[in-house]
Amino acid sequence: MVPGVRLVLLGKQGAGKGTQCVRLSRHYVVPHISTGDMLRSAARSGTDFGRQVAEYMRLGELVPDEVMIQVVEHRLDQHDTKNRGFILDGFPRTVHQAEALENLLNPRGLDLVLDLEVPTEVVLERLASRRVCSVCGSIFGIDNPPRRGAICDNCGGELVQREDDTEDSIRRRLELYASSTEPLISWYLDRRKLAAVDGLGVPERVTSRLIRAIDNRRHQLPDVGD
Ligand code: AMP
C-alpha cells in the first residue's frame, strides 16, 4: 500500500477541491476530511451545534475559528488519521486556523499544502453549474457532467444545487477567500510547504498533476512514515 500523507488542499470555492480530494484520498488511502461536509452533516442532523453553524453557512460567512479548531482537533485525534494521515479540504481557512493546525500536528507537521489554481471567472462558471448528489455527496459540473440528467452516476441519487451556491453567498465566500484564506499561500510558502498546481482541465489531468507534486515532495522527505 502507498504510504500515508498529511496534506492540505487550498483553492477558491469551485476550484475542484472536493472532487480532487476524493480522488487523492483513494490514491493514497487516507481519509478525506472536508470541514464543509462535516458542518453540512451536523446541520442536517438538527443538533444545537448544527443549527448554529447552518446560519453561517447559508450566508457564506466563516464559522468562528475556535469552533472550527475544536472540530478538526477532534477529527485528527481519530485512529484512521493517526495511522495513515489525511487530506484536509476547507481547513485551514485563516492564518489563526493554520497556526492552530501547526500546533496540533507538532512535531511532524504537514507534508505539503497544494494550492489548486483556477481563475475567478472559471470558478464562477463552475459554481453556477455545480450539482451535488443528495445521497452520496458526489460532485458534478461543467467539467464532469452527470450521464443521466439530474441523477447521480455513482448511486442513482437526486442531484441538487448546494444551498449556499446562491449569487450573494458565492460573492461573500469569494471575498472571504481573498481576505482571509489567500494570505495562507504566502504563509505556507514562507514555511516551504506550498506547491501550486494548475486546476484547469478535466479532473483526471488535474489529479495527475497533484499526484506528481505530492510524490515529488515525498521523495524529498527524509522519512514519510506509513
Ligand atoms: P465548503 O464546503 O468548504 O465550501 O464550506 C462550506 C461552509 O462551511 C463555508 O462557507 C463556511 O461557512 C463553513 N466552513 C467550512 N470550513 C470552514 C473553516 N475552516 N472555517 C470557517 N468556516 C468554515
Side-chain angles (χ1 to χ4, degrees):
M1 196 187 286
V2 217
V5 278
R6 293 171 150 206
L7 303 173
V8 163
L9 225 71
L10 293 178
K12 297 185 191 87
Q13 289 72 14
K17 293 189 300 295
T19 302
Q20 292 304 326
C21 282
V22 170
R23 300 172 70 92
L24 292 176
S25 125
R26 285 191 195 126
H27 182 85
Y28 292 106
V29 200
V30 286
H32 165 206
I33 302 180
S34 157
T35 46
D37 284 349
M38 290 165 80
L39 297 179
R40 276 184 289 277
S41 139
R44 273 195 303 273
S45 71
T47 56
D48 278 351
F49 174 72
R51 271 197 299 277
Q52 282 162 26
V53 296
E55 193 56 9
Y56 287 101
M57 287 195 286
R58 195 180 62 75
L59 297 171
E61 296 296 334
L62 292 180
V63 173
D65 282 343
E66 296 313 326
V67 175
M68 290 314 303
I69 292 164
Q70 269 190 31
V71 167
V72 170
E73 181 172 10
H74 178 71
R75 181 63 187 88
L76 292 183
D77 207 29
Q78 310 294 306
H79 202 60
D80 56 349
T81 55
K82 286 193 155 164
N83 280 343
R84 295 284 309 159
F86 50 82
I87 306 177
L88 274 170
D89 165 10
F91 186 96
R93 256 174 157 98
T94 64
V95 169
H96 186 180
Q97 292 181 11
E99 285 165 350
L101 180 63
E102 201 169 64
N103 288 334
L104 285 176
L105 296 178
N106 257 340
R108 180 178 141 188
L110 291 165
D111 295 338
L112 190 61
V113 176
L114 296 139
D115 177 29
L116 203 51
E117 293 184 320
V118 178
T120 302
E121 56 280 14
V122 177
V123 300
L124 286 174
E125 202 180 13
R126 286 188 183 172
L127 289 171
S129 71
R130 174 156 81 179
R131 296 293 180 273
V132 292
C133 176
S134 52
V135 179
C136 73
S138 296
I139 308 164
F140 298 89
I142 206 158
D143 290 324
N144 60 329
R147 284 194 295 267
R148 293 168 295 154
I151 297 171
C152 176
D153 289 358
N154 300 322
C155 77
E158 186 195 0
L159 300 185
V160 294
Q161 194 160 26
R162 249 173 67 165
E163 216 180 302
D164 59 351
D165 277 348
T166 59
E167 222 179 291
D168 283 351
S169 171
I170 289 172
R171 192 180 324 110
R172 181 64 185 142
R173 281 147 66 210
L174 287 172
E175 264 171 30
L176 282 171
Y177 188 80
S179 62
S180 303
T181 310
E182 232 156 40
L184 289 179
I185 293 172
S186 49
W187 197 86
Y188 280 122
L189 204 57
D190 289 347
R191 285 158 181 76
R192 300 179 186 283
K193 292 280 180 193
L194 195 90
V197 172
D198 177 6
L200 289 177
V202 292
E204 294 76 9
R205 288 202 58 192
V206 179
T207 310
S208 308
R209 290 182 204 131
L210 288 165
I211 289 175
R212 213 174 313 131
I214 297 162
D215 289 349
N216 276 342
R217 168 57 62 112
R218 277 148 54 106
H219 293 138
Q220 293 162 15
L221 292 172
D223 174 23
V224 291
D226 189 36

